[in-house]
Amino acid sequence: MLKNYIKIAWRNILRYKTNSFLNILGLTIGLASVMLIALYIQNELKYDTVFKDSERIYRVNMRGKMGDNSFYAGYTPPPAGEALVNNFPEIESATRIFQPDDATIAYTQGNSPKVFNESEILAVDPNFLEVFNYPLLFGNANTCLQQPNSVVITPQIAEKYFGTENPLGKTLLYGEEQKPLQVTGVLTDLEHYPASVKFDMLMPVANFEAVSYFNWSWVWLNMATYIKLTKQASEKPEGLAKLEAHLPEMLRVQAAPAFERIGQPFDAFLKKGNYWELHLQPLADIHLYSQDITSSITEQHDIKSLYVLGIIALFIVILACVNFMNLSTVQSVKRSKEIGIRKVLGSQRSQLIKQFMTEVACYTFFATLLAFAIVLLILPGFNALTGKAISINAFFNAELLLLVLAIVLLTAFLAGSYPAFFLTSFNPIRALKGKGNISKNTGLVRNGLVVFQFCIAIALISCTLIVFTQLHYTQQKDLGYDKENILVINNTERLGTVVTSFKKELATISGIQHVSISSNMLTRGAFGDFYVPKATPDEPHIASDISLGSYLVDDQFIETLDLELVEGRAFQEEFNDSLSVLLNETAVAQIGWENPIGKQIRYPGGNMEYYTVVGVLKDFNLESLHSAIQPFALFSEASQSYDSGVSYITLKVSGENIITTLDQVEQLWKRYSESAPLEYSFLDEDLAFAYQEDQRLASLFTVFALLAIFVACLGLFGLIAFSAQQRTKEIGVRKVLGASVQSIVRLLAMNFLKLVVIALVLAVPIAWLAMNQWLQDFAYRIAIPVWVFFAAGALALGIALITLSFQAIKAAIANPVKSLRTE
């Protein structure tokens, strides 16, 4: 019987070629979208689950509040790991990560010395590769980081420095001091490895004096700490809850001496309404559930983006199913006599349902094969769009195959159930008369499905336009400084004592307008610590302490970036500004000063010096618009209140002959530093990089919104074709009576265009609610403009009109004589 069903289904597919093509195309697009998005989601969910015992590994996060400033970060003080292991038997081991500044790496053996700037370097504890079993091509994970002069590299680094030679045992020279490091291990390629922590080189943390120096501190938050629970503890959820409940007491005991040392008793700190807390986060949650947790070490995305993509894929499949339903029901008149004859000859309704479901299964089978072929073809482009390197081999995963199979079966059921039960419900007498079972209810259902299709399509278009509008806003918003033609030279600390001479010579280049040096730069973080404002008789009720981000800068920094002073003065050569400070408006407001000029703040983390406020800066954005403006300060480089270990030179260039200017800068750099290559970027490019994930989301929205509108138009194309066919005689009579082509096109298209307008009305609140939620991730965001919805509606109407017009004009210009002869 099944064989007979399949034969009949094949004949009907060939007989109704246009409908078959539209159905298979729609289902193919829907299933291909699901497959691609499923591959993407699978890749994202796989992050950090590849490690052995990943369910036993947790990151230790720090949550704190100082005055009006609060933070949640994937960092801890240096002693946190050891303290946790010593105080809790449930913790088997701990390992730490420190992210040093970019460094020059050299390989001087052989005919041609090789020197490169490396930024993806991590300093780790010796047991790091025991806790995280990254796959090694060469070396022993238990011993390769035991010695301080060891280094573990990736294949890309091995090829860059050693070519095809065996890298084990080779010596690399680290930094300006040329510290020798022996290659003791080579990892597999980690570029697209599903791990939240990625790197090019691993070094023992013992190489970095800053970590050793701050080993007493519980306020120096520059270490990422991971713990591994014992097997017994990980199997008992109540044990983990008990451990976390004891963290505050441990922290109180451990941190008290450190807070006392910086003049801030811990209990007094807490009584002011502040807090300082440790929290444990499962390793598998870090990649997708850390949107509120700051970390530059881990690759962190937002789980909401996966929900959005999953919903979009589901909608596109549903749109394809709706197409199938609509095209099947409008085909009912053509097949009504077939159904009537089958019923008169004794066919049971259940047999007819099986026949129609077999047809749907055939459509879905062909669509699935085509969808898989399309995925194979476009996967490289999809990878380029998403920044992934997903292999088609990832598709042959038992869980993913079962998911796709379930979606295929669900698609077949959704697409076929309504038509099968609808078509087999025909009264055989009416069917043989060619009347089928068409009713007002049938038309309402069909119209409702069209409205649903375009509602989803218009909502997706609206969302896409809002995403692009917000991204355009981020590019055009006044950030409080000049970002155009700002060239940033990295790692100028490598020039040592000659950096001042280098800076002076840069100022003599004709294409350079201003030159400044600073300890850090916009979009690249800032030194952070807390300070104590000094109360005065005229303003006694001020904040007792405040957390400030800060840079050390020269007297040209403000002019180079065109920062605005609200009051007071900038740093100037004629003044001794070693104990001066500039605060931004947010810092002044949080302290509570009405007249800040001349007031003082003390830095407990330094030599307890008092810094006098000489100027107030208009607020400006240090980071992307995802982050709100925080209290910030500029200290003079002469103050040397802290050592960030890095420096940047910022150039304001004229914008003319930039290539020539860059060549001159590079030649000058080579004169001062023969070994270290020049590394630079433009500030506007750095800002654009901060929105890279948003740009990818916008691109994905665009692609799938266009697919949704295309699938919706496929159904509309079939419906207008059917409508024109059903009204062939009416069109012929109207033409004979003098109707114009325009009036006939209007007659055929107007009802469908009304449905698109209804869909627009329904889509507006859906899109508004969804995008209002997405915009909450931006501290500075647009108000959703009304024009977006008019533009989305106009685009949908335009595409629908083009789709309708093609068939409507074809019917309108047909020979009326032939139309009137049609039976």
Side-chain angles (χ1 to χ4, degrees):
M1 184 67 76
L2 179 61
K3 184 178 179 181
N4 187 47
Y5 287 156
I6 293 173
K7 279 184 179 179
I8 296 171
W10 178 246
R11 287 172 187 163
N12 282 324
I13 288 172
L14 295 178
R15 183 180 178 186
Y16 304 109
K17 291 184 178 63
T18 301
N19 270 15
S20 299
F21 172 77
L22 294 175
N23 280 326
I24 291 174
L25 181 58
L27 290 172
T28 298
I29 291 172
L31 291 172
S33 300
V34 166
M35 290 177 187
L36 285 171
I37 291 175
L39 285 169
Y40 180 85
I41 291 175
Q42 180 201 37
N43 181 271
E44 288 285 287
L45 294 177
K46 192 178 179 181
Y47 266 68
D48 293 324
T49 61
V50 293
F51 295 114
K52 181 183 177 183
D53 300 327
S54 62
E55 71 284 354
R56 293 166 54 191
I57 302 172
Y58 291 76
R59 181 173 70 178
V60 185
N61 298 324
M62 177 65 78
R63 184 171 171 267
K65 179 177 181 291
M66 292 180 176
D68 292 331
N69 299 324
S70 60
F71 68 89
Y72 196 12
Y75 300 108
T76 67
E82 184 180 359
L84 287 166
V85 172
N86 292 339
N87 283 274
F88 299 102
E90 301 96 326
I91 299 175
E92 181 180 291
S93 60
T95 193
R96 301 173 303 166
I97 304 172
F98 174 68
Q99 189 174 34
D101 300 314
D102 299 355
T104 302
I105 304 295
Y107 178 62
T108 57
Q109 299 174 19
N111 298 327
S112 55
K114 297 178 180 178
V115 182
F116 297 98
N117 287 322
E118 299 295 347
S119 58
E120 301 301 318
I121 303 173
L122 294 180
V124 297
D125 282 330
N127 66 340
F128 178 78
L129 290 176
E130 297 175 55
V131 176
F132 295 97
N133 61 319
Y134 287 89
L136 279 164
L137 294 175
F138 307 107
N140 186 320
N142 297 325
T143 60
C144 62
L145 289 168
Q146 293 297 325
Q147 299 302 317
N149 67 330
S150 57
V151 64
V152 176
I153 60 177
T154 60
Q156 290 86 344
I157 295 293
E159 184 179 355
K160 183 193 288 188
Y161 289 93
F162 312 118
T164 57
E165 298 178 30
N166 182 2
L168 285 183
K170 294 284 195 301
T171 299
L172 292 171
L173 303 178
Y174 176 83
E176 293 302 306
E177 66 277 13
Q178 300 266 293
K179 181 180 178 64
L181 300 173
Q182 186 178 44
V183 178
T184 54
V186 180
L187 297 151
T188 56
D189 182 7
L190 299 182
E191 185 178 0
H192 299 291
Y193 193 70
S196 57
V197 177
K198 293 179 181 176
F199 46 85
D200 289 333
M201 305 176 72
L202 287 178
M203 295 171 57
V205 76
N207 288 289
F208 297 91
E209 293 181 2
V211 177
S212 303
Y213 176 80
F214 283 106
N215 208 38
W216 60 270
S217 175
W218 280 82
V219 294
W220 191 73
L221 308 179
N222 284 281
M223 306 292 291
T225 301
Y226 293 81
I227 62 168
K228 185 175 183 180
L229 300 181
T230 62
K231 188 174 181 181
Q232 295 80 359
S234 65
E235 292 172 351
K236 299 177 180 178
E238 65 276 9
L240 179 63
K242 184 178 178 181
L243 188 156
E244 289 195 289
H246 285 88
L247 289 179
E249 184 58 33
M250 184 218 75
L251 186 61
R252 180 187 294 271
V253 173
Q254 297 290 330
F259 273 75
E260 193 72 40
R261 181 170 171 175
I262 61 173
Q264 183 75 263
F266 192 66
D267 288 336
F269 172 78
L270 296 179
K271 286 178 181 177
K272 294 175 184 176
N274 301 318
Y275 50 80
W276 208 249
E277 303 168 349
L278 293 176
H279 294 273
L280 301 182
Q281 182 182 21
L283 179 64
D285 288 353
I286 291 173
H287 182 63
L288 292 173
Y289 296 92
S290 300
Q291 56 268 29
D292 298 324
I293 303 173
T294 303
S295 174
S296 61
I297 292 175
T298 52
E299 182 183 331
Q300 298 179 174
H301 292 173
D302 191 343
I303 187 65
K304 286 187 286 188
S305 64
L306 300 193
Y307 292 146
V308 169
L309 289 175
I311 290 170
I312 289 174
L314 180 64
F315 278 150
I316 293 177
V317 168
I318 292 174
L319 292 181
C321 293
V322 168
N323 268 358
F324 195 100
M325 294 177 192
N326 260 342
L327 294 175
S328 295
T329 53
V330 299
Q331 202 179 17
S332 60
V333 174
K334 293 183 180 180
R335 301 192 65 175
S336 60
K337 288 185 179 180
E338 172 197 341
I339 296 163
I341 292 171
R342 285 177 178 275
K343 283 195 169 186
V344 168
L345 293 177
S347 290
Q348 298 295 317
R349 189 182 182 189
S350 60
Q351 292 176 308
L352 294 174
I353 289 173
K354 289 176 184 177
Q355 172 62 57
F356 284 112
M357 292 303 291
T358 302
E359 287 184 25
V360 177
C362 289
Y363 281 121
T364 310
F365 175 74
F366 293 133
T368 303
L369 293 181
L370 287 171
F372 186 73
I374 288 172
V375 169
L376 281 174
L377 289 172
I378 68 173
L379 190 57
F382 184 75
N383 282 333
L385 185 67
T386 58
K388 296 287 185 181
I390 301 170
S391 166
I392 195 61
N393 293 331
F395 196 88
F396 300 103
N397 170 287
E399 292 180 358
L400 189 62
L401 286 174
L402 285 173
L403 174 65
V404 172
L405 178 61
I407 291 172
V408 168
L409 293 176
L410 181 64
T411 300
F413 177 76
L414 288 175
S417 56
Y418 176 72
F421 286 96
F422 170 73
L423 292 174
T424 57
S425 67
F426 287 178
N427 181 294
I429 305 300
R430 289 176 58 82
L432 289 172
K433 291 180 178 180
K435 296 179 180 179
N437 203 32
I438 304 298
S439 66
K440 287 184 179 179
N441 289 337
T442 305
L444 285 174
V445 171
R446 189 162 61 245
N447 290 342
L449 293 174
V450 171
V451 169
F452 173 79
Q453 282 185 304
F454 274 90
C455 178
I456 298 303
I458 293 170
L460 287 176
I461 293 171
S462 300
C463 292
T464 302
L465 292 175
I466 291 169
V467 169
F468 276 110
T469 304
Q470 172 64 23
L471 292 178
H472 182 262
Y473 171 76
T474 63
Q475 295 163 3
Q476 300 301 317
K477 183 182 183 295
D478 180 9
L479 300 175
Y481 55 84
D482 183 7
K483 64 180 179 179
E484 301 300 327
N485 300 319
I486 299 294
L487 180 70
V488 182
I489 301 177
N490 304 331
N491 309 311
T492 54
E493 74 282 353
R494 296 173 187 170
L495 299 179
T497 56
V498 299
V499 67
T500 304
S501 300
F502 175 68
K503 174 189 161 187
K504 287 180 179 177
E505 286 204 51
L506 282 173
T508 64
I509 296 175
S510 60
I512 296 176
Q513 298 172 349
H514 299 290
V515 184
S516 172
I517 190 166
S518 58
S519 63
N520 218 312
M521 194 54 203
L522 304 173
T523 75
R524 307 185 190 199
F527 178 85
D529 215 329
F530 71 87
Y531 297 76
V532 179
K534 183 179 180 181
T536 58
D538 62 321
E539 292 185 280
H541 304 295
I542 58 172
S544 56
D545 50 45
I546 184 171
S547 176
L548 290 175
S550 67
Y551 298 165
L552 301 176
V553 302
D554 64 6
D555 57 350
Q556 295 296 309
F557 185 79
I558 290 176
E559 190 174 7
T560 301
L561 288 173
D562 196 23
L563 298 176
E564 183 180 341
L565 273 170
V566 177
E567 57 180 308
R569 65 172 178 85
F571 298 137
Q572 297 173 9
E573 280 188 2
E574 55 266 30
F575 290 95
N576 178 9
D577 283 317
S578 61
L579 291 177
S580 299
V581 64
L582 300 171
L583 299 178
N584 70 350
E585 292 173 303
T586 298
V588 171
Q590 285 201 10
I591 292 171
W593 281 326
E594 292 184 8
N595 302 298
I597 303 301
K599 300 298 195 302
Q600 293 181 314
I601 59 172
R602 180 169 57 87
Y603 180 32
N607 295 320
M608 307 296 282
E609 308 97 333
Y610 278 95
Y611 293 89
T612 302
V613 179
V614 297
V616 177
L617 293 163
K618 184 178 176 62
D619 280 340
F620 61 97
N621 295 85
L622 275 76
E623 303 293 338
S624 74
L625 296 185
H626 284 286
S627 306
I629 294 174
Q630 298 296 324
F632 183 75
L634 293 179
F635 293 94
S636 170
E637 61 177 345
S639 72
Q640 298 182 342
S641 63
Y642 56 83
D643 181 11
S644 67
V646 294
S647 71
Y648 298 84
I649 286 182
T650 306
L651 312 175
K652 173 66 176 178
V653 296
S654 65
E656 298 176 2
N657 302 316
I658 289 181
I659 294 176
T660 303
T661 303
L662 287 175
D663 287 340
Q664 291 176 294
V665 170
E666 189 161 8
Q667 292 304 316
L668 182 61
W669 176 271
K670 287 178 180 178
R671 277 178 41 207
Y672 279 85
S673 177
E674 295 180 1
S675 59
L678 175 67
E679 191 174 284
Y680 65 87
S681 63
F682 283 93
L683 183 55
D684 56 350
E685 293 173 353
D686 295 337
L687 282 166
F689 184 78
Y691 301 106
Q692 189 178 46
E693 286 303 314
D694 299 304
Q695 291 285 1
R696 284 176 178 164
L697 178 64
S699 299
L700 286 172
F701 256 97
T702 303
V703 170
F704 290 113
L706 291 175
L707 286 176
I709 198 77
F710 179 74
V711 170
C713 286
L714 283 178
L716 205 57
F717 183 86
L719 290 174
I720 191 67
F722 169 77
S723 179
Q725 188 176 7
Q726 289 297 105
R727 303 174 76 171
T728 302
K729 279 193 174 182
E730 177 189 346
I731 293 169
V733 170
R734 286 178 178 274
K735 288 196 73 177
V736 168
L737 295 175
S740 65
V741 172
Q742 291 89 337
S743 64
I744 293 174
V745 170
R746 194 183 308 115
L747 172 72
L748 292 172
M750 190 54 66
N751 285 336
F752 290 108
L753 291 177
K754 288 178 183 177
L755 298 179
V756 176
V757 172
I758 294 171
L760 170 62
V761 173
L762 296 175
V764 168
I766 295 172
W768 188 90
L769 289 170
M771 296 317 295
N772 187 58
Q773 183 64 35
W774 177 75
L775 287 169
Q776 301 308 309
D777 290 338
F778 291 85
Y780 305 95
R781 50 188 176 267
I782 59 169
I784 297 177
V786 176
W787 69 261
V788 163
F789 302 110
F790 285 110
L795 181 61
L797 280 169
I799 294 172
L801 187 60
I802 292 169
T803 305
L804 292 167
S805 298
F806 178 79
Q807 283 288 356
I809 292 171
K810 181 181 175 183
I813 62 176
N815 189 333
V817 176
K818 291 183 179 180
S819 300
L820 293 172
R821 287 177 179 171
T822 301
E823 285 293 338

